[in-house]
Amino acid sequence: MQSYWRLHRYPILFAVACILFYWSFAYNLVRTDSVKLFMLFGALFFLCYKLIQFEKWNFKFLLVVGILFRLVFLIAEPNLSQDFYRFIWDGELIKNGINPYLYTPDQIMEQGMASFLSMNELYEGMSDLNARHYSNYPPVNQILFALAAFLGGGSVLGSTIVMRLIIILADLGMLYFGRKLLQNLNKANHLAFWYFLNPLVIIELTGNLHFEGVMLFFFVWALYLISKNKWIWATPVYATSIMVKLMPLMFLPLFIKYFGFKKSAGFYTLVFLGCAALLIPFFSPVFIDNYSDTVGLWFSNFEFNASIYNVVKKISVTYYEAKPWELIDSYGSFIQKVVVIIVLLLAFLRKNQKLESVISSMVFALAFYYFLSSTVHPWYVVFLLGFAIFTDYRFPLVWSCTIILSYYAYSNPGYKENLWLLSVEYILVIGFFIYEMIGSRPKKLYFFKK
């Protein structure tokens, strides 16, 4: 024991410090306290780096500390996001036999359509925006919400703990298949810990109960099966990933050169059949309209932590007297088309015959989408980070550090953003992105040809 302490005393001390910082984050932080938020996050990111630097070949040590960091949050109420109230609300509706896609919380309360133990607490806790819109969470997410409601015993804390355990299990699964996939790609498997120990991942997923990690678990599992040439077995897993969050839909065209036309057709068909099977229990004639209206809000109504959009908005409003509410609507429609074009260009102009090239194309596609988007919440970057570790690109790791600056908006009345802080975030991220494209690896200037 003494010899172990002598060999690992600094990493052990770093881990203890992390536990104390995560405890403070979970139980003694309000999101309006930006200074404390930034200081805690910065310290945790530095300590994460030091832990991996010292112990990157010590799998058991990093696994144990990663689990301990997550367990710190076990009974904490999420303090950076109110979304979990809506998650539990949807789960309680399913528990009471009501389709969450058919009615808004406002409608449920006004019409008295349901009654459950935590109903008023959940309704008052969720944002007004959530209360007046239909659910936009795909079917597998809804199943997990329902599971949390059933096992949570009707209490908010009980349901929160169940969701937290689900997310922790998903992160463990991501670590398991991530290491296997890294080995198949001839990369060091300790790279998976840049995801597993990343403070953004721990805080936004385990802490704030976002399900990007569950989507990522199924996504990486599917990629691992594809790397083993078990693409048929990968299709239901990939479909499940889509039905947790829709984002993996974007990447389907990128497989066409990797599989070839005939196999791609089979892959796409089985994935869509899998999605349809998962959707059937929730389907109704008005489902498509309700769901598409809510999802469309993300393109036409919301703006948070944007980069290029903020530049376009500043120029349009200042010099062309554009109306902000009209601009974001037209911009959102335009960006949807641009992203489709970018994905198709990556699919047909890149030599995606190798899986690593396919994953690199995914990194470019999602990064361009986020750079162009009017809304980039911090937990969105978790997905980009999660599969970027299978490539040579590290700008998502930089982004996972700098995106915390976007939370400064919550310290201001009306959630007014500080454009100087957002400039710092995106200058560092986009600057490092450009450096990786043309600076450190000149050959990747021609990434469409790889």
Side-chain angles (χ1 to χ4, degrees), residues 168-273:
I168 292 172
L169 288 173
D171 275 351
L172 288 169
M174 159 62 189
L175 180 65
Y176 176 79
F177 286 112
R179 282 165 52 86
K180 283 182 170 291
L181 181 55
L182 283 165
Q183 289 173 342
N184 289 351
L185 296 173
N186 294 315
K187 294 184 179 295
N189 58 24
H190 74 263
L191 292 172
F193 284 105
W194 282 112
Y195 171 86
F196 192 68
L197 295 181
N198 194 296
L200 182 72
V201 173
I202 294 171
I203 289 166
E204 290 295 357
L205 305 191
T206 302
N208 292 316
L209 297 178
H210 295 293
F211 279 73
E212 269 67 16
V214 180
M215 167 182 61
L216 187 62
F217 159 61
F218 287 109
F219 185 72
V220 171
W221 184 6
L223 291 180
Y224 167 71
L225 291 171
I226 290 169
S227 76
K228 300 291 287 184
N229 202 27
K230 298 178 179 178
W231 66 272
I232 294 177
W233 291 104
T235 55
V237 182
Y238 199 100
T240 304
S241 179
I242 292 171
M243 290 291 101
V244 177
K245 298 275 186 177
L246 299 179
M247 198 62 73
L249 270 174
M250 178 193 297
F251 304 138
L252 287 176
L254 301 177
F255 287 101
I256 195 161
K257 283 189 177 179
Y258 179 78
F259 286 133
F261 182 78
K262 185 176 179 181
K263 192 182 288 185
S264 294
F267 182 77
Y268 298 152
T269 300
L270 291 175
V271 167
F272 284 121
L273 287 175

Side-chain angles (χ1 to χ4, degrees), residues 388-432:
I389 62 174
F390 305 109
T391 71
D392 294 329
Y393 300 103
R394 297 293 173 259
F395 72 92
L397 185 60
V398 175
W399 206 350
S400 72
C401 177
T402 62
I403 200 166
I404 198 70
L405 295 173
S406 66
Y407 271 120
Y408 180 82
Y410 291 109
S411 66
N412 293 321
Y415 305 134
K416 182 175 175 60
E417 294 182 301
N418 185 313
L419 295 183
W420 288 107
L421 286 179
L422 297 189
S423 297
V424 171
E425 173 193 342
Y426 281 105
I427 287 171
L428 289 172
V429 173
I430 295 176
F432 200 80

